[in-house]
Amino acid sequence: MRTLKEELNEQIPRLRAELHDLVQRGGSTIVSEVTLSQVVGGMRGVAGLVCDTSTVEPDKGLIVRNIPISKLSARKPEEMFYLLCTGRLPVARELSALEEELHRRSAVPAYVWDTLSAMPADSHPMTLFSMAILALERESVFHRRYEEGMHKEEYWEAALEDSLAILAKLPTIASGIYRIHTGKPAPVSSDTTLDWGADYARMLGLADSTGEFANLLRLYLTLHCDHEGGNVSAFTCHTVGSALSSPMLAVSAGMNGLAGPLHGLANQECLHFVLEIKEKFAGVPSPQQLSDFIWARLKDGAVIPGYGHAVLRVTDPRFVAFHAFGERACAEDETFRIVDRLYAVTPGILQQHGHAKDPWPNVDAISGSLLYHFGLKQFDYYTVLFGVSRALGMCAQLILNRALGTPIVRPRSVTTEQLKGIVGSERRVA
Ligand code: CMX
């Protein structure tokens, strides 16, 4: 049995040596070439950074430390954090030690609530969420120890300390924001007898007589925990952290990227789409009605929300895991049945239509409808839930990067004039 810190302490010298050896042996090896289209197109497909916590394979989906996410859906989010950080799942005593560490750090300082309550009531929940994490910078062990002259080999320990402090407080902060947003009584404190997901579910304050909402929340937090290193939130967090800004500054920055409509807000769009269908057909449409509706939408040049993916070319395994949950917990719910019927009808239509490279559903096609079923109906809050989960991956990546001494991110930019010159002469930037 090893605590997370002991396990990392054991692994880090080997990881450092492996990376050093790799650079010694193959430092000049070409990993990726960059075309002009990629330079102007968001660096899509350019392999330019290392992330060992997870990878996304077109034909398999998310793989966390060599384990497909489909095999991890019964795991708690805390277990996922241990796995993301160390590459192995914790045994029972290691998990309870981690849970204890989180409970110990769960109290949220009063000034965080004062900061949030000073904001206008119509502030976006993601703005409040990012602000709360930013405000916690005052508590940063990394910041304090850096000022005291901490040795660089110890950076990861301080990053771990701050990461645990952030993760421990996030369910209380996020549920407090929900309560403020929905006019419920003041935020409640963490219950140290509950696991991370169940405690979050309890603090949100929704009725849950069967315990299924807590199960859904655990599943949600587990499935969304990481998505390799190049997505906007992970990459932003990594970039800010690479300047040796504290984990609070880095995770808050990552959340600001997650708050964008092209990234973390997509799930609420998908639910709007399903509810639009429900309203139009006054319930669950027949397959023929649904097919006509989708074709009409495609002919209007609109996309089908929840379908397609930049990387995946199969049904997202996270969709499959949520679908199995819905079949078990709310199979008769109308919103779920529309999601289910869309799944039966849409891929075939998108294949015939022939535009989308991936005609299959992604995770956002279903997650919102399940939350909706359990009474979580504030669409603009969904990204906060996503953020609580994704903080697991951001923090794990930060800890490992500080352990490996990953240098400050500083790619080179070129001017349009330089690009014109390169195209003209086919020469490269030196
Ligand atoms: N419905 C209709 N057309 C679609 C489509 C869909 N769901 N997905 C892609 N297409 C179209 C694109 O608009 C594009 O059309 P044109 O060639 O006419 O411009 C063509 O298919 C090729 O696009 P692509 O290479 O398959 O897809 P991208 O990598 O460019 O975009 C994504 C991926 C997710 C943005 C896109 O599939 C989409 O808009 N889907 C619907 C919105 C959605 O579900 N978003 C959640 C994404 C979740 C995530 O990224 O994690």
Side-chain angles (χ1 to χ4, degrees), residues 293-329:
F293 177 78
I294 291 169
W295 273 115
R297 202 181 149 97
L298 289 173
K299 280 177 188 144
D300 281 349
V303 295
I304 308 303
Y307 284 75
H309 200 272
V311 180
L312 285 175
R313 296 297 176 257
V314 288
T315 297
D316 189 333
R318 299 171 301 170
F319 175 95
V320 175
F322 273 138
H323 190 266
F325 177 91
E327 290 275 21
R328 187 176 59 69

Side-chain angles (χ1 to χ4, degrees), residues 32-47 414 419 422-423 426-429:
S32 190
E33 289 201 309
V34 188
T35 64
L36 188 145
S37 303
Q38 290 171 311
V39 171
V40 299
M43 299 188 280
R44 202 67 56 87
V46 178
V414 286
L419 283 180
I422 293 164
V423 170
E426 283 293 325
R427 73 183 164 73
R428 288 159 186 254
V429 177

Side-chain angles (χ1 to χ4, degrees), residues 14-69:
R14 177 176 52 78
L15 298 176
R16 284 179 180 152
E18 269 174 16
L19 192 63
H20 179 76
D21 176 60
L22 204 57
V23 174
Q24 290 297 309
R25 286 190 296 116
S28 55
T29 306
I30 292 171
V31 176
S32 190
E33 289 201 309
V34 188
T35 64
L36 188 145
S37 303
Q38 290 171 311
V39 171
V40 299
M43 299 188 280
R44 202 67 56 87
V46 178
L49 66 155
V50 181
C51 172
D52 286 326
T53 53
S54 68
T55 177
V56 181
E57 303 290 337
D59 58 340
K60 296 193 184 77
L62 175 63
I63 298 175
V64 181
R65 295 289 200 158
N66 295 323
I67 309 176
I69 191 69

Side-chain angles (χ1 to χ4, degrees), residues 69-313:
I69 191 69
S70 57
K71 294 203 161 51
L72 292 164
S73 55
R75 298 289 177 176
K76 288 181 187 166
E78 304 90 307
E79 289 180 273
M80 297 303 289
F81 183 60
Y82 197 104
L83 174 65
L84 287 161
C85 289
T86 67
R88 72 170 178 83
L89 285 158
V91 298
R93 282 177 59 211
E94 290 166 338
L95 177 61
S96 45
L98 175 59
E99 287 178 331
E100 259 172 50
E101 295 229 46
L102 292 172
H103 287 317
R104 199 152 43 80
R105 295 167 170 85
S106 65
V108 176
Y111 66 80
V112 172
W113 300 124
D114 293 345
T115 306
L116 298 185
S117 51
M119 291 294 289
D122 58 356
S123 304
H124 194 282
M126 275 305 279
T127 308
L128 301 180
F129 189 54
S130 173
M131 283 176 66
I133 299 168
L134 188 61
L136 286 173
E137 149 79 1
R138 180 182 175 276
E139 314 297 315
S140 172
V141 171
F142 189 94
H143 180 102
R144 177 174 52 75
R145 289 192 56 204
Y146 188 84
E147 297 280 303
E148 290 166 1
M150 157 174 66
H151 192 283
K152 64 182 179 186
E153 300 227 331
E154 294 167 8
Y155 287 172
W156 72 267
E157 291 177 38
L160 172 64
E161 188 57 43
D162 282 356
S163 295
L164 290 171
I166 294 170
L167 295 175
K169 293 168 180 46
L170 283 194
T172 312
I173 289 172
S175 57
I177 290 169
Y178 178 76
R179 297 174 76 91
I180 293 167
H181 195 56
T182 54
K184 283 188 195 296
V188 290
S189 307
S190 173
D191 176 343
T192 55
T193 63
L194 294 176
D195 61 81
W196 206 62
D199 196 20
Y200 185 14
R202 181 192 64 86
M203 289 188 284
L204 283 169
L206 295 165
D208 186 23
S209 57
T210 59
E212 287 291 18
F213 178 58
N215 290 336
L216 174 63
L217 218 58
R218 267 192 219 100
L219 179 64
Y220 188 105
L221 297 171
T222 289
L223 296 180
H224 287 84
C225 69
D226 202 40
H227 222 230
E228 63 175 49
N231 64 75
V232 168
S233 50
F235 189 41
T236 303
C237 179
H238 168 59
T239 304
V240 175
S242 80
L244 299 185
S245 305
S246 73
M248 283 75 171
L249 294 173
V251 173
S252 169
M255 293 304 164
N256 297 338
L258 196 72
L262 294 187
H263 191 11
L265 285 198
N267 53 8
Q268 72 183 57
E269 286 306 311
C270 297
L271 180 56
H272 275 300
F273 173 64
V274 174
L275 295 180
E276 181 194 328
I277 293 174
K278 188 165 149 183
E279 193 182 316
K280 181 177 168 62
F281 296 99
V284 184
S286 69
Q288 187 57 51
Q289 284 173 316
L290 203 50
S291 172
D292 293 345
F293 177 78
I294 291 169
W295 273 115
R297 202 181 149 97
L298 289 173
K299 280 177 188 144
D300 281 349
V303 295
I304 308 303
Y307 284 75
H309 200 272
V311 180
L312 285 175
R313 296 297 176 257

